[in-house]
Amino acid sequence: MTDSPPQALPPQAPVPDTRATMQPREGQPRPTRPPWVRDVIVALVVGGIWFLAVRLADQGGYWHPRWISTYWWAGAWMVFALAGRRTIPWTVFWLTMLCYPLGYRTGLQSDFHVLPILIAAFGATHSARVRPAVAVVVAGAAGLSLRLRGGPAITSGWDLRALGFDFQGRPSTVLVMFALTTGAVALGVVMHRLALSSQSLINQNAELQRLQGVVAEQAVSAERLRIARELHDVVAHHMSAIVIRAQAATRVAPNQPDAPLLATEWIAEAGKDALKAMRTIVDMLRESPGEGGALTPAPRLDDLRGAAQRMAQAGLDVTVMIPEVNLALGPAAELALVRIAQESLTNVLLHSTATTATLSLSRRPRHIVLTVHDPGPARPPTQPGEARRDGNGVRNMGERAVTCGGRFSAGPDPDGGWLVRAHLPKDL
């Protein structure tokens, strides 16, 4: 007998992983049943316990109620009152108050028989479908009607003893009944107010979370804008000077053979300064010092002369006029002043044909005024789409000034030049 070649089994479909569907994802609320389903379940459980207890007590041989049917009647209405206490509270209340006492053929045999009335009164006031005063009066009257011998529908007379109000026996029946119904109504009112307060707190919490998200987004946006300004100013100031110096060296190289070498040495130093400034920004983003040690200090007013010197080496002669006295600027305003000055000089180098510019600082009672001026005229665009003076640089300078509580303006002057002026507040 020869062995038959093994047959390839048909590919089996992969078994789906049902764990993801069985368990809710983290952060998502677990699915809950509707309120009426939970109320029906609670009602059936309570009714089952009630009927089981009555059945066991009836078979025990030591409990002999006069009317066992009243216990079944009370249990059935208790199930009805529990099942509809939140979905149809108004209907449950009035049906219970009007129809439940009619099922009694004798007086109240147990105080437990008042439970359906109390549950209906609680549900009606908890849902605010019935006024508390109306609920107290109607529920108290329905409870007292259970004391009527033979039930309210078959009572032969309306005397006080038929109501159980016997001054020579137990005159506290009315007070006890109204105390029970008042307690149920009061509990419903308190629970209703607690539910309103809880919902109000939930809404306020949701609103606070939404506002917190908005504030967080605004903070992230402001931080991104601040970082973008820093990167723009560092790259624009240093790289523009490097590009202009390299282009100038290329143009004069045929007549000045040493110009490329001098330009290369200058570009190397300017590139180191640019890398140092960019490394500072990167370290700030990482929230920890870089491998090179402590962070580089923020630019100060003394750096304005260094910026003017870099511009001079790139072909722009800058006249700097800074008072020798203390200008009393805060750190944020001082940084903004230096960055605005650097950006303004860079714009002169890129967008103007002027070979000279003026940078001056003047004191006012509450402000320090920065002025950067070049005589112009503007450099004509060499190609379509070339960056103009009203690009990101001007917007960034204005945002820096406004962030510090100052003012900013930039535009052409009557003589064809360009004037930048920033008013920055003193650190008073």
Side-chain angles (χ1 to χ4, degrees):
M1 186 174 181
T2 60
D3 295 332
S4 59
Q7 298 180 354
L9 296 177
Q12 297 182 355
V15 179
D17 187 2
T18 59
R19 293 176 296 176
T21 58
M22 293 176 61
Q23 298 179 356
R25 295 181 179 179
E26 184 179 358
Q28 294 182 350
R30 294 180 179 273
T32 57
R33 299 184 180 92
W36 69 270
V37 174
R38 288 179 287 173
D39 291 344
V40 169
I41 294 175
V42 172
L44 293 177
V45 172
V46 173
I49 295 175
W50 175 274
F51 294 131
L52 179 62
V54 172
R55 184 67 176 174
L56 294 177
D58 186 35
Q59 294 179 354
Y62 58 86
W63 184 57
H64 302 285
R66 182 178 179 183
W67 296 95
I68 189 65
S69 61
T70 58
Y71 287 88
W72 304 118
W73 181 252
W77 274 96
M78 188 163 53
V79 171
F80 170 70
L82 286 173
R85 63 185 180 89
R86 285 193 291 182
T87 54
I88 50 174
W90 189 88
T91 304
V92 168
F93 176 79
W94 289 109
L95 286 179
T96 302
M97 302 308 162
L98 298 176
C99 300
Y100 173 62
L102 297 177
Y104 277 85
R105 298 294 179 180
T106 183
L108 187 66
Q109 300 186 71
S110 173
D111 290 336
F112 287 105
H113 291 180
V114 188
L115 286 177
I117 296 177
L118 301 181
I119 294 173
F122 170 80
T125 52
H126 184 206
S127 60
R129 299 301 302 273
V130 179
R131 293 182 178 274
V134 176
V136 169
V137 175
V138 175
L144 287 176
S145 67
L146 297 179
R147 295 287 184 180
L148 291 172
R149 298 176 182 177
I154 59 175
T155 301
S156 57
W158 289 89
D159 56 23
L160 294 178
R161 293 187 180 184
L163 290 171
F165 199 87
D166 187 359
F167 288 99
Q168 297 180 356
R170 293 182 298 170
S172 63
T173 301
V174 176
L175 298 178
V176 171
M177 189 59 61
F178 273 95
L180 290 175
T181 55
T182 302
V185 170
L187 182 61
V189 172
V190 171
M191 295 300 295
H192 174 68
R193 292 182 178 179
L194 289 177
L196 292 179
S197 300
S198 177
Q199 185 61 40
S200 177
L201 291 176
I202 291 174
N203 295 338
Q204 292 179 7
N205 184 44
E207 181 67 14
L208 288 176
Q209 290 181 352
R210 187 188 68 82
L211 293 177
Q212 185 179 7
V214 172
V215 171
E217 291 179 359
Q218 292 177 349
V220 172
S221 178
E223 185 65 13
R224 290 176 56 187
L225 183 62
R226 186 179 70 87
I227 295 171
R229 285 198 300 263
E230 289 293 327
L231 286 174
H232 175 272
D233 292 345
V234 170
V235 173
H237 178 70
H238 291 85
M239 295 298 105
S240 298
I242 291 174
V243 170
I244 295 298
R245 183 62 183 272
Q247 291 175 347
T250 302
R251 289 195 300 268
V252 300
N255 299 326
Q256 300 179 13
D258 296 336
L261 178 60
L262 297 176
T264 302
E265 295 177 352
W266 182 89
I267 289 173
E269 293 298 326
K272 290 180 181 179
D273 294 338
L275 289 176
K276 185 184 298 183
M278 295 180 67
R279 187 180 296 112
T280 301
I281 298 176
V282 173
D283 291 340
M284 178 181 60
L285 292 177
R286 293 176 177 175
E287 297 182 351
S288 62
E291 296 180 358
L295 296 178
T296 303
R300 305 297 301 271
L301 291 179
D302 296 338
D303 296 327
L304 290 179
R305 301 187 185 279
Q309 185 179 2
R310 282 192 295 270
M311 294 295 103
Q313 293 173 349
L316 178 65
D317 187 11
V318 181
T319 302
V320 180
M321 293 181 291
I322 302 177
E324 298 295 336
V325 297
N326 184 14
L327 296 179
L329 278 174
E334 188 171 5
L335 174 62
L337 187 147
V338 174
R339 292 304 190 196
I340 292 174
Q342 291 177 345
E343 179 66 20
S344 300
L345 294 177
T346 302
N347 287 341
V348 174
L349 194 65
L350 292 176
H351 304 295
S352 176
T353 58
T355 58
T356 61
T358 302
L359 186 154
S360 63
L361 294 179
S362 58
R363 299 179 62 184
R364 297 291 187 272
R366 295 186 178 182
H367 294 83
I368 298 298
V369 180
L370 167 69
T371 304
V372 179
H373 177 260
D374 71 273
R379 186 187 303 274
T382 58
Q383 57 185 357
E386 186 179 6
R388 300 182 305 172
R389 286 180 182 266
D390 56 350
N392 292 331
V394 175
R395 183 172 66 248
N396 289 343
M397 289 187 290
E399 290 173 351
R400 283 188 180 275
V402 172
T403 302
C404 298
R407 303 191 309 273
F408 175 81
S409 62
D413 61 6
D415 298 330
W418 189 264
L419 180 65
V420 174
R421 180 171 286 123
H423 297 256
L424 300 175
K426 289 183 179 180
D427 187 15
L428 299 178

